[in-house]
Amino acid sequence: MQHDKILILDFGSQVTQLIARRVREAHVYCEVHPCDVTSDWVREFAADGRLKGVILSGSHASVYEVDDRAPDAVFELGIPVLGICYGMQTMAQQLGGKVEGSNSREFGYAEVRAHGHTKLLEGIEDFSTPQGHGMLKVWMSHGDKVTQMPEGFKIMASTPSCPIAGMADEARRYYAVQFHPEVTHTVQGAAMLNRFVRDICGASPDWIMGDYIEEAVARIREQVGNEEVILGLSGGVDSSVAAALIHRAIGDQLTCVFVDHGLLRLNEGDMVMDMFEGKLHAKVVRVDASDLFLGELVGVSEPEQKRKIIGRLFVDVFKAEASKLKAANAGSQGASFLAQGTIYPDVIESGGAKSKKAVTIKSHHNVGGLPEQLGLKLLEPLRDLFKDEVRELGVALGLPREMVYRHPFPGPGLGVRILGEVKKEYADLLRRADAIFIEELRNWIDEATGKSWYDLTSQAFTVFLPVKSVGVMGDGRTYDYVVALRAVQTSDFMTADWAELPYGLLKKTSGRIINEVRGINRVTYDVSSKPPATIEWE
Ligand code: XMP
């Protein structure tokens, strides 16, 4: 179960996680840690002999503004190091070179000339000049630049405005680039990272999801022994994959609790039960708590208050179920583990030492703090995995693709898609309208890519607006509700563009909703990007 590993030190760039994803795509295991870990920590991390290389990330800051440096141990272990952007600058400065500040920033597409046939770039190019120089199409984003290389380094890449756009000391296996190989705009970026981790570091490419199941199953069995586990199943990707994996490991020692808060999508509850109880034969307790949730939401229209009520009730219901299960199993100890679908980005974000002074735009519905309240130990079998790996794992575990590649759905469910006060009548109308929209997105195939518009969008849904508008149907006047369709494209959900859906698709969806869902007589399309709008309306 021991993998070779790459350490990625995070200096605070927005795209550090992408480095890790590219490394994992090369089937090499890696971990992201904050740049201010100590040298002792690094040595300890390397003590098992599995650490094959280090990557220093970029940063939004200048080496003159902050004093973040790589721990000295990084340069004492005798293993390869790759510096990216800020990582290159700090490497240069720490090893005796010079970095100069600049008022102007180079930002965006650049063509870089490769020099010196270094092992990192050898044979990797996008095109070559008539003089035979290999050229790379890259993404640059920097203000400062290295003006003098440390001893032992030679130029590896350059542009007219950044003569030292890459440098290498091949004897020590230190490489650095001013551009960002981790972003897809750098066309050969994945090839460069692949070259670094596999050929230069010599890390073995043994990080494969199909094999990972066996490893994870063994680990879960060892951790759980013959104790019992409960898991809150929401129907979302993470909790579903966690449930399937744990069930594979320990079968009936797992009990899933599925809380139906009355704010789920059309037929969602039945689908979850059918999959987990029907097909996987897992133990699932379905709790119909819709009256409780909808009752507590009467008269509440403020979004944050709604979110808090839903979050609190969820915890209450879950706790009550957990103690019921314990009572029903008199004689046995009841569950001693609570399983959660925490994934690696959550781990990186909560462990990040860089001060994240973000304001709370929306309080997220999650079950933080629940294990302590319940006196349970935590089981988080997905904590090493990125979302795309979780999906791959789900498919490998036999979950249907359609479930595993579903768009994200917020914890408070339709509660934040019904503006203002939530009523059952509204939720019922919204569920039907939304199901039509999703069905049309799945059916509408884009000719250029051969993909459905469901797959071409990152998230799509319908929002219920509690206002009435006048319409005409047949010979009669209608005075009914309005819905908004929302579809966005995004890679990280931090920023998002509204999707340019085909007019034909919008037309068909709107026609079907108005004809099939009595009570809605107007459909609008949301053309707001994030920022300044958010993806959900509340
Ligand atoms: P916003 O609306 O903040 O949404 O642009 C960004 C992403 O987060 C999802 N979202 C949530 N997910 N619990 C969740 O698990 C929540 O309370 C929650 N609120 C928003 C939203 O659907 C989008 O994918």
Side-chain angles (χ1 to χ4, degrees):
M1 284 214 279
Q2 286 281 321
H3 294 279
D4 283 352
K5 59 192 178 187
I6 299 291
L7 170 61
I8 298 166
L9 288 178
D10 180 16
F11 286 85
S13 151
Q14 296 282 340
V15 288
T16 302
Q17 284 195 26
L18 290 181
I19 306 176
R21 283 171 57 182
R22 296 288 101 80
V23 172
R24 298 266 185 106
E25 281 161 16
H27 301 297
V28 172
Y29 181 71
C30 61
E31 289 185 20
V32 178
H33 291 275
C35 62
D36 56 5
V37 293
T38 62
S39 278
D40 282 345
W41 183 92
V42 174
R43 284 188 210 101
E44 177 71 32
F45 189 71
D48 60 3
R50 294 287 186 172
L51 180 61
K52 299 295 170 186
V54 180
I55 300 178
L56 311 175
S57 87
S59 163
H60 51 82
S62 149
V63 281
Y64 290 104
E65 285 166 16
V66 293
D67 54 11
D68 289 331
R69 300 290 175 263
D72 292 336
V74 164
F75 300 109
E76 293 164 3
L77 292 168
I79 56 175
V81 183
L82 172 66
I84 295 175
C85 195
Y86 181 100
M88 164 163 172
Q89 294 161 11
T90 193
M91 179 192 276
Q93 213 174 45
Q94 288 182 254
L95 298 177
K98 267 203 191 119
V99 178
E100 246 167 53
S102 138
N103 295 328
S104 66
R105 285 188 74 80
E106 190 174 2
F107 183 80
Y109 176 77
E111 287 179 0
V112 166
R113 179 179 152 189
H115 290 268
H117 303 283
T118 52
K119 192 163 179 190
L120 187 76
L121 299 182
E122 177 112 63
I124 297 180
E125 64 177 40
D126 288 300
F127 64 98
S128 50
T129 63
Q131 297 77 30
H133 301 304
M135 300 293 290
L136 295 162
K137 298 177 172 180
V138 305
W139 184 259
M140 285 271 204
S141 161
H142 71 105
D144 305 343
K145 57 190 171 197
V146 174
T147 51
Q148 192 188 314
M149 292 180 286
E151 228 180 279
F153 278 79
K154 62 179 187 180
I155 291 191
M156 175 168 71
S158 65
T159 70
S161 65
C162 184
I164 311 177
M167 60 179 197
D169 175 344
E170 298 213 273
R172 287 188 284 180
R173 297 182 294 168
Y174 293 165
Y175 297 84
V177 288
Q178 188 54 65
F179 54 86
H180 288 271
E182 68 275 31
V183 303
T184 48
H185 310 279
T186 297
V187 182
Q188 303 294 334
M192 293 172 207
L193 286 167
N194 196 69
R195 171 71 57 80
F196 179 71
V197 296
R198 290 186 36 179
D199 300 335
I200 295 173
C201 300
S204 55
D206 56 6
W207 184 252
I208 292 158
M209 276 309 114
D211 301 349
Y212 179 79
I213 295 180
E214 225 173 284
E215 193 175 305
V217 159
R219 204 166 27 213
I220 294 167
R221 285 190 184 143
E222 190 186 311
Q223 192 181 349
V224 173
N226 50 17
E227 298 176 47
E228 307 231 333
V229 179
I230 49 170
L231 174 143
L233 191 60
S234 71
V237 178
D238 302 340
S239 70
S240 297
V241 176
L245 178 63
I246 298 170
H247 181 255
R248 171 80 63 101
I250 57 168
D252 274 356
Q253 283 165 263
L254 169 71
T255 304
C256 303
V257 177
F258 172 52
V259 178
D260 182 346
H261 50 30
L263 299 164
L264 297 171
R265 290 164 285 192
L266 194 67
N267 303 328
E268 189 159 17
D270 292 343
M271 281 182 323
V272 169
M273 293 307 289
D274 182 52
M275 180 65 220
F276 285 92
E277 200 179 48
K279 300 211 170 63
L280 287 183
H281 308 294
K283 279 203 277 187
V284 189
V285 180
R286 180 178 187 166
V287 190
D288 181 2
S290 48
D291 287 344
L292 174 70
F293 279 79
L294 294 173
E296 295 269 327
L297 287 168
V298 169
V300 184
S301 53
E302 204 279 315
E304 275 301 284
Q305 220 186 330
K306 283 164 52 178
R307 283 175 168 272
K308 290 201 171 118
I309 291 173
I310 298 171
R312 171 176 57 74
L313 288 178
F314 185 88
V315 170
D316 290 351
V317 172
F318 194 84
K319 271 164 96 173
E321 280 314 308
S323 44
K324 266 196 230 162
L325 282 171
K326 206 163 191 162
N329 289 338
S332 94
Q333 287 293 305
S336 49
F337 281 94
L338 175 73
Q340 287 185 348
T342 313
I343 67 172
Y344 197 41
D346 309 331
V347 176
I348 299 177
E349 253 136 55
S350 59
K354 305 277 95 193
S355 61
K356 293 219 167 75
K357 297 195 192 88
V359 283
T360 306
I361 307 288
K362 298 176 184 181
S363 51
H364 267 219
H365 164 97
N366 60 35
V367 286
L370 195 52
E372 298 85 66
Q373 292 176 39
L374 289 170
L376 295 175
K377 295 176 274 189
L378 252 188
L379 178 66
E380 298 179 313
L382 309 180
R383 6 181 338 116
D384 294 337
L385 307 182
F386 283 106
K387 192 86 180 183
D388 22 6
E389 295 174 320
V390 170
R391 294 198 154 113
E392 238 184 278
L393 177 64
V395 172
L397 282 163
L399 293 178
R401 276 197 91 75
E402 201 182 285
M403 170 183 243
V404 167
Y405 283 87
R406 233 172 163 194
H407 291 168
F409 186 63
L414 302 186
V416 292
R417 293 180 179 173
I418 294 167
L419 301 194
E421 188 179 357
V422 175
K423 295 185 182 164
K424 180 162 187 311
E425 174 204 355
Y426 297 169
D428 288 338
L429 289 172
L430 175 56
R431 266 188 272 271
R432 291 167 57 207
D434 188 62
I436 292 172
F437 184 31
I438 299 301
E439 186 180 316
E440 289 304 327
L441 284 164
R442 285 199 189 274
N443 288 342
W444 208 277
I445 307 296
D446 172 57
E447 276 184 17
T449 57
K451 290 186 176 173
S452 78
W453 273 93
Y454 186 83
D455 289 330
L456 289 172
T457 49
S458 316
Q459 198 170 7
F461 52 90
T462 310
V463 181
F464 186 87
L465 314 185
V467 290
K468 286 192 165 185
S469 83
V470 173
V472 52
M473 209 163 199
D475 293 330
R477 173 188 192 267
T478 58
Y479 185 54
D480 283 328
Y481 290 110
V482 184
V483 293
L485 307 178
R486 177 90 165 128
V488 296
Q489 288 166 322
T490 170
S491 55
D492 56 10
F493 295 87
M494 308 286 285
T495 63
D497 289 323
W498 57 274
E500 296 186 29
L501 295 183
Y503 282 171
L505 164 56
L506 288 171
K507 190 171 180 171
K508 181 150 183 231
T509 305
S510 135
R512 280 194 59 197
I513 291 175
I514 294 169
N515 278 310
E516 295 174 31
V517 188
R518 245 331 110 75
I520 296 173
N521 71 352
R522 195 173 293 267
V523 174
T524 63
Y525 188 53
D526 180 355
V527 289
S528 330
S529 290
K530 173 182 180 177
T534 51
I535 296 174
E536 305 287 349
W537 280 41
E538 282 193 344

